[in-house]
Amino acid sequence: FRIKRPMLSSIPSPPSGTRDLCAVVSEACILLCGCGGSNPPNPSSTTNFLATHSNTMCHILKKSIGQVRPKSVPHCMLVLEALLRRYPTDGGSMLMQSGIVGVMLQSVAEHYCCVCVGGLNIMADDVRRQQQWEPECVIVQNLTVIARIVAATSSPDGSRSLDSMFPIVISDHTQKQQQQDQQPRFEFQPLHLIDLYFRLM
């Protein structure tokens, strides 16, 4: 059978490293084991799978999200896609509670600070800035995942969990340690997230 992948505009290249291969295996486990071998999926089997392997999935994603090169990001996003399609509510809650959504928001905030606001002092240098933010294609995929999680966990508890992650403070870490209190700062707020969403989507 064919698996539709609406989050990605193109099929990623074959896995070229350990993390890529790990992501491919994780996606297959979610799609195949998560349905308990039945068609249609057995609800009890999907619940048991997530309860049993949630810690492993979180560990794999923490080692991948924000830690891989842009060309490897599609493999990570396929894992998130499979997770959110198979477990829209529980999967989204797991990603929020494990801090993975926080990592994605941090990446989004840094991109917004450097691209849309203009950066912080030394960060204005193009070479340095290119090393500090994720490319636009990665940010778009991060925003898509965050939007799907918010839509799936639209209960009051889910909203509070996302709101508690703001503001995200971006500082110029190139300053000396003794001047830390005087570092220029940018606070990324929910309105900035919405602004960036409409800029890129």
Side-chain angles (χ1 to χ4, degrees), residues 82-175:
L83 183 65
L84 294 176
R85 291 185 67 184
R86 190 64 76 183
Y87 321 104
T89 303
D90 294 337
S93 299
M94 183 193 76
L95 294 174
M96 294 186 70
Q97 295 172 6
S98 62
I100 294 172
V101 173
V103 173
M104 300 176 76
L105 279 173
Q106 180 71 28
S107 175
V108 168
E110 291 175 355
H111 180 92
Y112 185 86
C113 174
C114 293
V115 176
C116 302
V117 178
L120 301 171
N121 290 354
I122 300 177
M123 291 170 66
D125 181 81
D126 288 339
V127 176
R128 300 184 66 87
R129 287 165 57 188
Q130 288 289 346
Q131 297 175 350
Q132 292 188 16
W133 75 54
E134 296 279 11
E136 186 174 294
C137 61
V138 175
I139 299 302
V140 169
Q141 295 182 47
N142 286 350
L143 290 173
T144 303
V145 171
I146 294 171
R148 292 187 63 173
I149 292 174
V150 172
T153 58
S154 57
S155 63
D157 292 339
S159 299
R160 285 198 296 268
S161 298
L162 186 65
D163 291 341
S164 64
M165 299 180 183
F166 294 94
I168 300 173
V169 178
I170 308 297
S171 300
D172 185 355
H173 297 291
T174 58
Q175 301 290 340

Side-chain angles (χ1 to χ4, degrees), residues 20-78:
D20 292 357
L21 182 60
C22 188
V24 172
V25 173
S26 299
E27 180 197 10
C29 288
I30 294 171
L31 293 175
L32 300 179
C33 302
C35 64
S38 61
N39 189 17
N42 184 349
S44 62
S45 298
T46 59
T47 303
N48 292 336
F49 175 82
L50 190 62
T52 303
H53 301 289
S54 59
N55 290 335
T56 302
M57 297 306 304
C58 288
H59 178 74
I60 293 173
L61 291 171
K62 285 181 179 179
K63 294 293 184 181
S64 303
I65 303 298
Q67 305 293 326
V68 297
R69 295 181 178 180
K71 68 177 183 179
S72 297
V73 169
H75 293 290
C76 301
M77 291 300 163
L78 287 178

